[in-house]
Amino acid sequence: MTVTGSATLATNQRWVPNDSALVTGPTGTTLSGNVVFKLFNDGNCGNSGGTQQYTQTVDVTTGTGAANHKTVSTTNSTTVIVTSANDGTAWSWLVSYDDANLNDPSNVCETTTPAFTLTD
């Protein structure tokens, strides 16, 4: 028996957002605290009507680098941004750091500017 015909293929792009932060303390100090990453579906860390979509707290001691100079990253694999629901949406990360011994820096809001559109 011979089967003939054509196969089809469809794709749907997805974005799995992740972020990283560099925390630096004075020379001779050891960082001891947590970095909190919060993802919002607006370009202004929730201040433009967006809502929090993902959050992760990372212990700075698990980061890479020297005792006073660490890079930490999120490990999101579950919050997926799907094209059809989020085209043209600006996304932003609100990142904060709380150290047990040092004065804490101001929070940082980083934005995807301009908003992007995934195309299939």
Side-chain angles (χ1 to χ4, degrees), residues 7-118:
T8 62
L9 176 65
T11 65
N12 187 16
Q13 291 190 42
R14 301 174 346 151
W15 178 52
V16 181
N18 279 289
D19 197 9
S20 63
L22 171 63
V23 183
T24 303
T27 301
T29 63
T30 298
L31 298 171
S32 176
N34 292 311
V35 178
V36 179
F37 297 89
K38 295 178 181 178
L39 177 68
F40 290 86
N41 61 349
D42 70 358
N44 197 16
C45 294
N47 293 314
S48 298
T51 58
Q52 185 176 310
Q53 303 294 302
Y54 175 80
T55 187
Q56 184 174 349
T57 301
V58 181
D59 183 338
V60 74
T61 63
T62 65
T64 58
N68 72 319
H69 187 88
K70 296 281 189 175
T71 298
V72 295
S73 301
T74 59
T75 57
N76 173 34
S77 63
T78 57
T79 299
V80 178
I81 309 307
V82 181
T83 302
S84 61
N86 297 293
D87 272 357
T89 300
W91 293 87
S92 56
W93 287 96
L94 179 63
V95 183
S96 61
Y97 177 66
D98 181 29
D99 193 275
N101 302 311
L102 301 172
N103 292 331
D104 300 334
S106 298
N107 295 349
V108 174
C109 179
E110 36 179 33
T111 303
T112 56
T113 304
F116 62 89
T117 301
L118 298 173

